[in-house]
Amino acid sequence: MNQPHLFVEVHILQSLPPSNVNRDDSGTPKQAVYGGARRARVSSQAWKRATRTEYARQVPESDRATRTKRIATLLTQRLAQPADKGGPDLTQEQAERLAAALLEPLGITKSAKKDDQSAYLLFFGKKQLDALVKLLGDSAPELAALPEDTLKAEVKKLPVIQTLSTGHPAEVALFGRMVADLPTLNVDASVQVAHALSTHAVRTEFDYYTAVDDENTEDHGAGMIGTVEFNSSTLYRYAVLGVHQLRDNLSDVTETRETAVRFIDAFARSMPTGHQNSFAHRTLPHLVLVTVRTAQPVNLVSAYEEPVTGAAGLAAESAVRLAGELQAVGDTWGDEPLRTLATYSAEGDKITEAFGSSVPFPALLGSVGALVGQWLDGDELTPAATAEAKTR
C-alpha cells in the first residue's frame, strides 16, 4: 500500500434553537472568542460523550465499553455470577478477594480513596472483563481458597495486563485510553474532535421562569423563581478519523470498516443533553461533508474567522463560506481531498461545485464504507476518482 495514512474528516453545519447544551461552572453556555467575536462553543469532550452514547445504540450490550472507577465492583459481580449464567459461582467474599488480586498488577487501586474504586476512571470493554474471568478457568474456587500471599503469587502468573491490552471494543479503539501509571494499557485514539463553534457572533440571554405550587390555594404567588441562561447558534462541527490507527487498534479489517461508518453516523446524529428537558433542542444537521485525505487532516473553521451575519438566516451563508474555504485550501496549498461526499439541503452553484451533488445520508455512509474498504484491501485512492464522482 502506497498510502500509509487515511483520514476521513467530517464537517457539519447544524443550527440549534435556544438551548444550553454545554455549560460552564456558573451555568453559562460555554463560549469562546474567535476572529474577535464571541462565539457559542460546545466542548469536544461533551460531543465525544454524546457520540459515544449514540454509537452505543448501534452495538449489542456485550460489545460495549464503559468508563468507570468501579471496575473492582463490576469484576466482583461477574465472578459471583452463578454457573448457569456463565460465572464461576463464587461467594461474595471469594469474588471480592479474586477481583482485588486480579486488579493489583494494574496498580490502579493503590491511591484510591475508596476500597471499591480505582484511583481514576478506566475505559475498557465488557468483553475484556469477561476475558479476565476466563483467565481463571475452572480453578477460580481453588484460587479463592488460597492464603492471601499465595493467591497474589498465583495471580501474578496470569496475563492480566495483556488481556486488557488486547481485544479492544470499538469505543476504546475510537476514543483511546490513557493510564498514567501503566502506559502499557494506553490506546492511541483514532478520532480527534474539535470544539464546535458558532459561525457567527452570539449573545447570551436569560430565561426567567416561575413554578407554581399546585397545592397552595391561599398564596397566588410563585412557589419558585429562577433563571437559566441560553443562546441559539449555527455551529460548525469537525472530527477526523484516522482509519490507519483504527485498524491498528482493532486488528480486524471488517470491523474497522464497520466502525468507521458507525462513527460517522453516530457523530452526525449525536447531541449533548444539557438542559434537554427545558429546551428540546435536538436537531439534525443542515450539511454533512465528508472529505478523505492521505496527507494530513484540515479543519476548515477558518471559513468563519470573519463572523457570518445575516437577517434572513445564517445556515445558507455558512454553507457557502464552507464551500469557499474548501476550494481556497485546495487552490492555495494544492491540497485537495481525494474524495468529497456531502449531504445537504442548501442550494447554489458554488456549493454544488465544491461538494458535488447532495446524496441521501444513508448513501453517503455506504460510499464511505466502500472507500474505507477499498483502502483497507490495499487499493490506492486517486484524486481522479473524485472528479468522476462529482460528474455522476
Side-chain angles (χ1 to χ4, degrees), residues 27-365:
T28 302
K30 288 186 177 180
Q31 303 173 19
V33 174
Y34 181 64
R38 187 162 296 279
R39 314 296 182 98
R41 176 175 67 91
V42 181
S43 72
S44 61
Q45 295 90 337
W47 225 301
K48 280 191 283 189
R49 168 67 179 175
T51 302
R52 278 211 303 119
T53 302
E54 187 68 30
Y55 187 95
R57 301 176 191 271
Q58 307 176 40
V59 296
E61 178 71 21
S62 60
D63 292 338
R64 292 188 54 188
T66 185
R67 185 176 62 184
T68 180
K69 290 183 176 182
R70 303 181 184 275
I71 184 173
T73 300
L74 294 177
L75 185 55
T76 298
Q77 292 172 353
R78 183 67 181 81
L79 289 167
Q81 281 185 340
D84 59 355
K85 293 185 178 180
D89 200 14
L90 301 177
T91 67
Q92 181 69 19
E93 182 181 355
Q94 289 175 325
E96 289 177 356
R97 290 188 69 229
L98 268 181
L102 283 168
L103 295 177
E104 186 174 12
L106 305 182
I108 61 176
T109 57
K110 294 179 180 178
S111 58
K113 295 181 180 179
K114 298 182 179 180
D115 293 338
D116 64 338
Q117 296 185 19
S118 57
Y120 39 75
L121 293 167
L122 187 66
F123 196 24
F124 58 91
K126 296 185 177 182
K127 281 189 174 180
Q128 290 175 307
L129 206 63
D130 291 339
L132 285 181
V133 176
K134 289 181 180 178
L135 290 178
L136 302 173
D138 297 332
S139 63
E142 289 77 11
L143 287 172
L146 293 173
E148 195 69 24
D149 290 343
T150 307
L151 171 61
K152 291 181 179 180
E154 289 298 317
V155 169
K156 281 184 179 180
K157 300 176 183 178
L158 301 176
V160 174
I161 295 176
Q162 181 182 357
T163 300
L164 286 176
S165 301
T166 56
H168 303 299
E171 292 166 76
V172 175
L174 285 167
F175 298 102
R177 176 175 68 202
M178 179 179 177
V179 182
D181 295 339
L182 192 60
T184 306
L185 290 182
N186 289 351
V187 179
D188 290 335
S190 55
V191 164
Q192 297 176 358
V193 178
H195 290 243
L197 286 180
S198 65
T199 63
H200 53 90
V202 297
R203 183 181 64 185
T204 299
E205 301 180 71
F206 294 83
D207 176 33
Y208 171 84
Y209 66 88
T210 63
V212 176
D213 186 337
D214 292 340
E215 301 299 326
N216 184 358
T217 59
E218 299 176 358
D219 185 356
H220 296 291
M224 184 180 115
I225 296 174
T227 60
V228 60
E229 299 179 58
F230 68 91
N231 58 33
S232 58
S233 58
T234 294
L235 298 172
Y236 169 70
R237 298 167 50 202
Y238 173 79
V240 55
L241 168 64
V243 178
H244 49 281
Q245 184 65 56
L246 181 64
R247 175 199 58 199
D248 292 346
N249 290 349
L250 291 174
S251 302
D252 182 89
V253 170
T254 300
E255 188 178 6
T256 299
R257 178 180 57 79
E258 293 176 352
T259 299
V261 173
R262 285 175 177 169
F263 167 73
I264 295 171
D265 188 25
F267 183 64
R269 296 180 186 276
S270 62
M271 178 62 65
T273 57
H275 281 295
Q276 64 178 359
N277 292 343
S278 299
F279 293 102
H281 56 259
R282 191 160 190 134
T283 62
L284 289 171
H286 296 288
L287 179 147
V288 178
L289 169 67
V290 173
T291 49
V292 178
R293 302 177 187 271
T294 56
Q296 68 173 56
V298 181
N299 186 325
L300 299 176
V301 70
S302 48
Y304 310 109
E305 199 273 341
E306 179 183 344
V308 174
T309 59
L314 300 164
E317 177 59 27
S318 296
V320 171
R321 289 275 197 92
L322 188 64
E325 187 67 15
L326 179 65
Q327 291 181 319
V329 169
D331 294 342
T332 304
W333 294 93
D335 190 9
E336 293 186 357
L338 297 181
R339 296 290 193 281
T340 301
L341 300 163
T343 298
Y344 56 88
S345 56
E347 298 180 355
D349 293 340
K350 188 171 184 178
I351 294 174
T352 303
E353 180 184 353
F355 303 150
S357 299
S358 175
V359 298
F361 188 61
L364 180 146
L365 293 177

